[in-house]
Structures are given as C-alpha cells and as structure tokens.
C-alpha cells in the first residue's frame, strides 16, 4: 500500500462546530505532516509528527489541535474555526523526517 | 528566511512542445530540492535532487540541480494534455523537516 488516505474529502462546518480530519498511511512511515493550502498558493506547513510525537508546530492557532494516536494515523481536531480557515488540508508522510514526503488527496474545508 | 522563486508563473504550449520550468532558491544549509506535480488533488512527488549536475529522469520528465548557481530546471519533452498541472518546486534546508515551496508554474498544454 503506497497511499496516504484522508477523510472526509469535503467538510462544511459552522464556526461553533467541532470536527476532525483523519489521515492514514500503511507504508511504515514514521513522520507525518499537516499542511494548509489556500487557492492558487503552495502548501503551508502546520505540524510535523515524528514517531508519534509532535516535532514542529508552525505557530498554528490553538483552534487546530493535532493528534497522532499511532504510527499509521494522524488526526486534526478543529474547534471554533474562522471563515478564513477555509482551505485544502493536506496530510503527508515520509519514512523519516527529511525523507521524501508523499501527500494524500486532501480535505476541502469550508467554514461558514 | 528560506526562499524559492519559480518561473514562469504561467505557461501555455501545444502538444508536442518541449518546456523548461525554472526554480531558484536561497536556503540555509541546503539539503534537497523536490519537484511536485499538482493537478486538482494533492501534489504528486516527481523528483528529489541533492547533488549538482546529476540528471534525474522519468519518462519524458527530467530535472537537474546546480548548487553553485542555486537553481534547478524541470524539462518536459513531447508534452501531452495530461501534463497540464501546477508544478511546484520545494527546498529543504537546515531544519530538515520543513519544506519551503515556490509559487508554482501553471502549465497548460493545448491539443
């Protein structure tokens, strides 16, 4: 299995909702990443996990809360988001930090 | 601050043409440069370059890195409509895990 999967594909939520994005890979990769991508812009790094521990937090607001329950799963918990948080959220994984990253298809998030 | 500049930002060609996409960079303690292809979905990894002068090739695509002049090029020969996409260049520097992306080149291949 050489794929990174993400669910849901699309998500519409209100500013008071709580939702979660999920990412899964079965390539044995020990590094996983969350990126945010706005329209016509390159992806911006949000979080990096290495061996299930948070390694990098790119000054992301606390309304985004990552979680890595095991080496195959990465979640992004969302609470009290703003309309400007609407974007494509991409998950990626790599064998180790510093290796080539493989991206999932993304979750298209719309905050009303 | 690491910086990646891609050119051109947009390119329209006809099927069969050859295109060259450019990527110049400024990065502290360069480690690698990556090329991605992004269509409507997530970026698809193309090449990772770490050494100068060694061409990486995959079918009609090839790429080379010049660490002295701090740039890379991505060549696509005999372009097809399926090559239409945004091509992203990214560099990894001293931080190891952080990728700095360029703005991308929007390539459109017309039949």
């Amino acid at each position: 299995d050489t794929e990174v999967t993400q669910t849901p594909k699309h998500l519409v939520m209100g500013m008071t909702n709580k939702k979660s994005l999920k990412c899964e890979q079965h390539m044995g990769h020990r590094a996983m990443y969350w990126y945010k991508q706005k329209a016509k812009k390159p992806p911006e790094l949000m979080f990096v996990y290495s061996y299930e521990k948070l390694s990098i937090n790119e000054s992301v607001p606390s309304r985004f809360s990552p979680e890595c329950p095991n080496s195959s799963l990465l979640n992004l918990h969302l609470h009290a988001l703003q309309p400007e948080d609407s974007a494509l959220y991409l998950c990626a994984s790599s064998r180790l930090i510093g290796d080539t990253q493989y991206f999932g298809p993304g979750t298209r998030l719309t905050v009303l | 601050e690491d910086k990646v500049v891609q050119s051109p930002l947009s390119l329209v060609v006809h099927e069969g043409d050859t295109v060259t996409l450019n990527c110049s960079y400024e990065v502290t303690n360069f480690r690698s440069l990556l090329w991605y292809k992004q269509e409507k979905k997530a970026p698809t990894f193309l090449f990772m370059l770490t050494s100068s002068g060694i061409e990486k090739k995959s079918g009609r695509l090839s790429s080379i890195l010049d660490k002295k002049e701090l740039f890379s090029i991505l060549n696509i020969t005999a372009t097809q409509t399926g090559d239409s996409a945004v091509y992203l260049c990214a560099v990894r520097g001293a931080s190891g895990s952080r990728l700095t992306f360029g703005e991308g080149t929007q390539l459109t291949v017309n039949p």
Side-chain angles (χ1 to χ4, degrees):
Chain A
D1 188 351
T2 58
E3 209 179 2
V4 177
T5 60
Q6 290 186 242
T7 57
K9 289 184 180 177
H10 300 276
L11 178 62
V12 179
M13 60 186 290
M15 289 191 284
T16 57
N17 292 158
K18 283 186 181 181
K19 296 286 184 184
S20 296
L21 309 184
K22 296 186 184 302
C23 174
E24 191 166 1
Q25 57 86 16
H26 294 289
M27 294 180 277
H29 290 175
R30 303 313 298 267
M32 296 185 78
Y33 312 77
W34 280 115
Y35 288 84
K36 172 183 177 181
Q37 186 175 26
K38 302 284 272 186
K40 299 185 179 180
K41 294 287 185 183
E44 299 172 25
L45 184 68
M46 298 174 72
F47 302 105
V48 181
Y49 271 82
S50 177
Y51 288 90
E52 296 97 73
K53 288 186 170 47
L54 185 62
S55 176
I56 290 179
N57 176 341
E58 287 283 288
S59 302
V60 180
S62 59
R63 58 186 184 268
F64 294 92
S65 174
E67 179 199 17
C68 191
N70 61 55
S71 60
S72 298
L73 292 173
L74 184 66
N75 298 322
L76 185 62
H77 303 298
L78 314 172
H79 174 55
L81 294 194
Q82 305 295 312
E84 59 264 29
D85 296 322
S86 298
L88 180 68
Y89 287 84
L90 293 164
C91 173
S93 71
S94 63
R95 191 177 63 91
L96 299 171
I97 285 183
D99 290 329
T100 300
Q101 298 177 20
Y102 294 84
F103 285 81
T107 293
R108 176 74 60 189
L109 174 68
T110 303
V111 182
L112 302 176
Chain B
E1 185 181 336
D2 298 345
K3 187 177 173 184
V4 178
V5 177
Q6 292 186 244
S7 64
L9 291 180
S10 179
L11 187 58
V12 181
V13 300
H14 291 290
E15 267 192 317
D17 288 350
T18 293
V19 298
T20 298
L21 310 183
N22 303 292
C23 175
S24 63
Y25 61 88
E26 296 173 18
V27 63
T28 304
N29 294 333
F30 173 88
R31 290 187 59 176
S32 60
L33 183 144
L34 292 88
W35 284 97
Y36 288 90
K37 175 184 180 182
Q38 184 170 24
E39 297 169 270
K40 292 182 181 177
K41 296 182 180 178
T44 303
F45 168 75
L46 294 175
F47 299 111
M48 183 171 75
L49 303 158
T50 56
S51 301
S52 270
I54 298 174
E55 185 183 50
K56 291 282 182 90
K57 198 168 170 65
S58 175
R60 295 176 294 105
L61 277 66
S62 64
S63 183
I64 198 161
L65 175 67
D66 186 326
K67 288 168 73 173
K68 183 180 176 185
E69 300 298 329
L70 306 181
F71 77 90
S72 174
I73 59 172
L74 175 68
N75 277 321
I76 308 175
T77 59
T79 52
Q80 302 171 358
T81 55
D83 295 327
S84 297
V86 175
Y87 290 84
L88 293 166
C89 173
V91 294
R92 181 175 292 120
S95 65
S97 57
R98 189 172 303 127
L99 278 177
T100 301
F101 282 84
E103 293 284 332
T105 293
Q106 171 72 61
L107 174 66
T108 303
V109 181
N110 290 324

